[in-house]
Amino acid sequence: MRYFLLFALGFTLIYCSEQGQRTFPLKTKLTESVYASATIQPDSLYKAYAVVAGILDKNLVAEGDKVHKGEALVHINNNAPKLNTANARLALELAQENYSGSAAVLRSLKDEIHAADLTFYNDSVNYYRQKRLWEQKIGSKVEYDNRLLAYELAKNKLNLLKANYSRTKKELETQLRQAKNNYNASQINSEDFTVTSKINGTVYALFKEPGEIVTTLEPLASVGSSTVFVIELLVDEVDIVKLELGQKALITMDAYPQEVFVAKISKIYPRKDERSQTFMVEAVFEQAPKTLYPGLSGEGNIIISEKEAALTIPKEFLFNGNQVLTQDGAVDVMVGLQNLDRVEILKGIDESTQLLKPEE
């Protein structure tokens, strides 16, 4: 009667006899899950690097400070860019002066062209007058030839000066554009010595102190979201194929030992870490704890499937993967869901089948 009452209440019937430990299959709610180690990190967490080398002049923020996108984080000291910028500015000013200033080269050439144009006009008038006289057999051939030579020389000089003006103008325009480009590039390089935040968030770490050498290979700061945190889960490669986006995960943390938090899988990274043989999976809290810090650790159980009334047996009563031991001998069964303790039996036995625990 005692075992009958226990079975009616839904407990597994287990007893010891000369034949060993026994049990009956039991219908119960079964949840299959995948275990993962968990680490809490701010969303959009990234490390800020310098694009130039130098000496850290000063940290413009402190750890824990809230920052806006574009706000300066650190400043690097290097005098070479400042000198380059100054030289580029002087070169630009000189190019502008040569092109359009009061002492411009082009203005001098314009004056020469104007003078040559007057000379050419005067020589052309004299030439054509002499030509008409010569056509009327008035004057000498020598005088006509001299007027023609003067006319040709004036014409050639004017053309040469105009060509020189066009060439010089093009060269000065090119020099001016180059000077502007060099100056703009030097300003950009100067801006590179100030590292700014890429997001609105919180400064979680500063890795350098003023006076230390800065390289492009070492991070200067760590910045992430102030309000949104993600759960980084490391899943064994055996279990990764069971996961899908949107699956529920139950998270426990060392900082909150008495609470279980519900989260959902939001991202599955396809690359395996060869050292740990795990895959990275991200989850987001449905309702996050009030206070979180980067690096808080815990554990996660990602729920793969659930069944309200599954026929289950303890895992130790299953052997060879798909067999159980009855009073009539070994019986093949079809297994379904399973967790750490119990496994679902889909076919082969029922609730009335008494099972014997196989010898180890």
Side-chain angles (χ1 to χ4, degrees):
M1 177 63 71
R2 177 172 177 268
Y3 294 114
F4 176 76
L5 291 175
L6 286 175
F7 178 73
L9 291 172
F11 291 94
T12 305
L13 177 59
I14 301 175
Y15 64 92
C16 295
S17 69
E18 295 179 356
Q19 297 171 313
Q21 197 173 18
R22 305 184 181 193
T23 189
F24 284 95
L26 174 66
K27 281 191 174 182
T28 184
K29 180 178 180 179
L30 186 65
T31 300
E32 183 178 9
S33 63
V34 168
Y35 172 82
S37 60
T39 305
I40 309 301
Q41 296 290 6
D43 188 29
S44 304
L45 182 68
Y46 79 98
K47 291 181 179 178
Y49 289 81
V51 297
V52 291
I55 303 296
L56 182 63
D57 183 27
K58 56 184 174 180
N59 289 315
L60 303 176
V61 293
E63 293 180 345
D65 284 355
K66 301 289 191 300
V67 293
H68 298 287
K69 182 177 180 180
E71 184 174 345
L73 302 176
V74 301
H75 185 264
I76 303 164
N77 188 24
N78 192 319
N79 290 328
K82 295 180 181 179
L83 295 176
N84 291 338
T85 300
N87 290 335
R89 185 178 64 254
L90 292 175
L92 176 60
E93 291 173 354
L94 178 60
Q96 289 174 331
E97 182 71 15
N98 288 337
Y99 184 72
S100 60
S102 58
V105 176
L106 293 179
R107 178 169 297 180
S108 176
L109 290 176
K110 281 184 177 180
D111 291 341
E112 291 184 35
I113 291 173
H114 180 65
D117 192 41
L118 292 176
T119 301
F120 172 70
Y121 176 77
N122 184 63
D123 289 339
S124 65
V125 169
N126 292 332
Y127 163 68
Y128 283 109
R129 181 185 299 119
Q130 191 64 40
K131 181 180 179 182
R132 287 193 298 271
L133 291 173
W134 178 247
E135 289 173 349
Q136 298 173 17
K137 305 301 182 179
I138 301 173
S140 66
K141 182 70 165 59
V142 173
E143 189 174 6
Y144 170 76
D145 290 339
N146 288 337
R147 297 296 186 186
L148 176 60
L149 178 61
Y151 168 77
E152 294 291 344
L153 290 175
K155 180 180 179 181
N156 290 338
K157 183 178 180 180
L158 180 60
N159 290 335
L160 287 174
L161 287 174
K162 287 182 176 180
N164 185 34
Y165 176 85
S166 298
R167 183 176 62 255
T168 303
K169 181 179 181 182
K170 187 174 182 180
E171 290 175 353
L172 292 176
E173 286 176 344
T174 301
Q175 292 173 6
L176 180 59
R177 286 197 299 269
Q178 290 175 338
K180 286 181 178 179
N181 292 338
N182 292 335
Y183 180 64
N184 291 334
S186 69
Q187 286 186 312
I188 293 173
N189 291 334
S190 298
E191 292 173 359
D192 288 340
F193 284 81
T194 300
V195 179
T196 59
S197 176
K198 304 301 181 185
I199 62 171
N200 296 327
T202 297
V203 178
Y204 288 101
L206 294 171
F207 302 112
K208 293 283 186 178
E209 294 295 331
E212 291 188 281
I213 295 175
V214 173
T215 71
T216 59
L217 302 177
E218 298 177 305
L220 298 179
S222 178
V223 183
S225 173
S226 304
T227 56
V228 181
F229 286 79
V230 297
I231 309 157
E232 294 183 349
L233 301 166
L234 296 181
V235 178
D236 190 272
E237 62 176 329
V238 176
D239 299 318
I240 191 64
V241 296
K242 303 174 184 177
L243 302 189
E244 297 177 359
L245 296 178
Q247 287 176 329
K248 184 167 66 173
L250 303 179
I251 308 298
T252 58
M253 290 185 288
D254 297 338
Y256 296 92
Q258 305 300 321
E259 299 182 64
V260 177
F261 301 94
V262 179
K264 283 190 176 182
I265 302 300
S266 59
K267 188 171 185 178
I268 300 174
Y269 289 88
R271 183 178 179 183
K272 183 177 75 171
D273 188 321
E274 295 296 339
R275 292 177 299 176
S276 62
Q277 299 295 301
T278 59
F279 285 82
M280 172 77 77
V281 175
E282 284 187 2
V284 292
F285 288 104
E286 288 190 352
Q287 186 171 354
K290 182 178 179 181
T291 304
L292 288 172
Y293 292 96
L296 290 180
S297 60
E299 298 178 338
N301 285 284
I302 304 168
I303 298 174
I304 305 303
S305 54
E306 293 179 294
K307 187 174 287 188
E308 289 295 332
L311 185 65
T312 65
I313 64 171
K315 274 192 171 181
E316 59 265 26
F317 281 80
L318 185 70
F319 66 98
N320 292 336
N322 66 338
Q323 288 185 316
V324 293
L325 185 61
T326 69
Q327 291 177 332
D328 299 324
V331 175
D332 291 339
V333 295
M334 181 184 295
V335 300
L337 304 181
Q338 54 184 306
N339 58 22
L340 294 176
D341 303 316
R342 303 186 71 82
V343 58
E344 179 188 16
I345 304 300
L346 300 174
K347 187 186 297 185
I349 60 174
D350 56 30
E351 291 177 275
S352 64
T353 305
Q354 189 179 63
L355 305 179
L356 305 178
K357 185 177 181 180
E359 295 182 1
E360 297 181 359

